[in-house]
Amino acid sequence: MVVTKNIVVVGDGAAGIMTANKLRYMNSEKDARVTLIGNNVKNFCRSDGPQIALRMKKFTESVKPVNFLLNSKVDFVRDEVTQVRPKNRLLYLKSGKKYDYDYLVLAPGLADAPEKLPGYEGEAKHMLDMQHALELGKTLENLAEGTVIVATNGASAPNLMGFFELALVYTEMLAHIKSKIKVKFVSPDNGAFPIQELSAFFADKFKSLGIELVTGFKVTSINQKNKEIVSTENKAINYDVLVLPPPLKTREFL
Ligand SMILES: Cc1cc2nc3c(=O)[nH]c(=O)nc-3n(C[C@H](O)[C@H](O)[C@H](O)COP(=O)(O)OP(=O)(O)OC[C@H]3O[C@@H](n4cnc5c(N)ncnc54)[C@H](O)[C@@H]3O)c2cc1C
């Protein structure tokens, strides 16, 4: 069989898996070989993060082996790309192997960069991956009283809506159980949400649930000792639990 095109997709998250499946669907096996290269052991459905943290969903339902999600006619290579050489159309892999391609799709997502925000590491919680969602769940469950700050720190955070969802659902769940917990929502924008029309909706919703809304507050550091977030203007707000997405960076091999 003569294969005319060699298409390689790098990254086995939602984007890479869907792209590889679609490419397989659109090209006959005679016309193209489709290969997915990824280093994920299992795929986590990231939008389930808030529900897992709030114990509304079992994490086992949100995790699937990559093979399970992939068209069986896509070649799956579990490995890590360490270098791309576009001139030679070559990929170098961590295992020492090389891979050539005719067409390349890069879908490696973004990497967490907690080091970009002083005080973040080991202190702030989030639910953007399974491990952190489970940890956050445990922390919220064990909290009997105090202040939970949910902060977004900018529209560039992926899945911004997840943080709104978490604040709203957590507060609703708490209403009858833990009256000693206060939730504050901290946004760097002028309103609750970076889109004006949605800001009014969230402001009303927060008000009705008793969530305090703090706007125009960009977290520039976290003082772990005093348990406070500090803004560009050097203002500070105290917390007992801090929920904040980590800063992000592009993958190093790119
Ligand atoms: C709470 C929440 C709600 C959301 N809601 C929505 C929604 O309603 N609609 C929507 O569209 N999106 C939503 N999202 C966003 C969506 O989940 C993400 O945008 C999506 O999961 C990102 O997928 P990705 O494949 O681009 O990146 P990732 O999930 O980061 O996957 C990248 C993959 O590439 C692999 N990789 C990285 N580097 C290499 C390398 N060098 N070699 C090999 N493999 C590598 C990684 O291991 C990883 O498996 C939500 C997210 C959250 C957290």
Side-chain angles (χ1 to χ4, degrees), residues 10-18 37-51 66 77 79-83 93 107-111 127-129 158-163 165 251-253:
V10 177
D12 51 358
I17 292 171
M18 282 193 272
I37 303 177
N39 60 355
N40 215 353
V41 180
K42 286 188 175 166
N43 184 276
F44 171 61
C45 177
R46 300 177 86 187
S47 54
D48 287 349
Q51 286 164 285
V66 174
V77 176
D79 212 323
E80 187 179 320
V81 174
T82 52
Q83 252 189 75
L93 308 188
L110 292 165
M127 67 292 168
L128 302 182
D129 58 58
N159 32 73
L160 189 59
M161 204 57 107
F163 290 83
E165 186 186 337
R251 300 278 182 191
E252 270 156 27
F253 78 96

Side-chain angles (χ1 to χ4, degrees), residues 110-222:
L110 292 165
D112 291 357
E115 69 281 0
K116 282 188 183 174
L117 186 59
Y120 185 94
E121 222 151 8
E123 183 68 2
K125 312 278 175 208
H126 68 82
M127 67 292 168
L128 302 182
D129 58 58
M130 191 183 69
Q131 189 61 33
H132 283 95
L134 290 170
E135 272 174 36
L136 173 60
K138 215 175 200 174
T139 307
L140 293 176
E141 222 167 54
N142 291 336
L143 186 73
E145 58 183 288
T147 301
V148 176
I149 287 187
V150 183
T152 56
N153 235 20
S156 64
N159 32 73
L160 189 59
M161 204 57 107
F163 290 83
F164 286 84
E165 186 186 337
L166 185 99
L168 293 173
V169 179
Y170 181 60
T171 313
E172 261 167 345
M173 280 165 62
L174 288 179
H176 308 292
I177 321 163
K178 295 185 180 181
S179 57
K180 289 181 182 164
I181 292 179
K182 169 100 193 132
V183 178
K184 291 186 184 180
F185 196 94
V186 176
S187 160
D189 302 301
N190 290 332
F193 204 78
I195 301 167
Q196 212 182 345
E197 289 79 359
L198 283 177
S199 275
F201 167 81
F202 281 109
D204 285 349
K205 194 80 185 139
F206 286 160
K207 203 171 175 188
S208 71
L209 287 169
I211 298 174
E212 186 186 329
L213 175 62
V214 180
T215 56
F217 192 108
K218 168 112 181 129
V219 184
T220 49
S221 68
I222 297 156

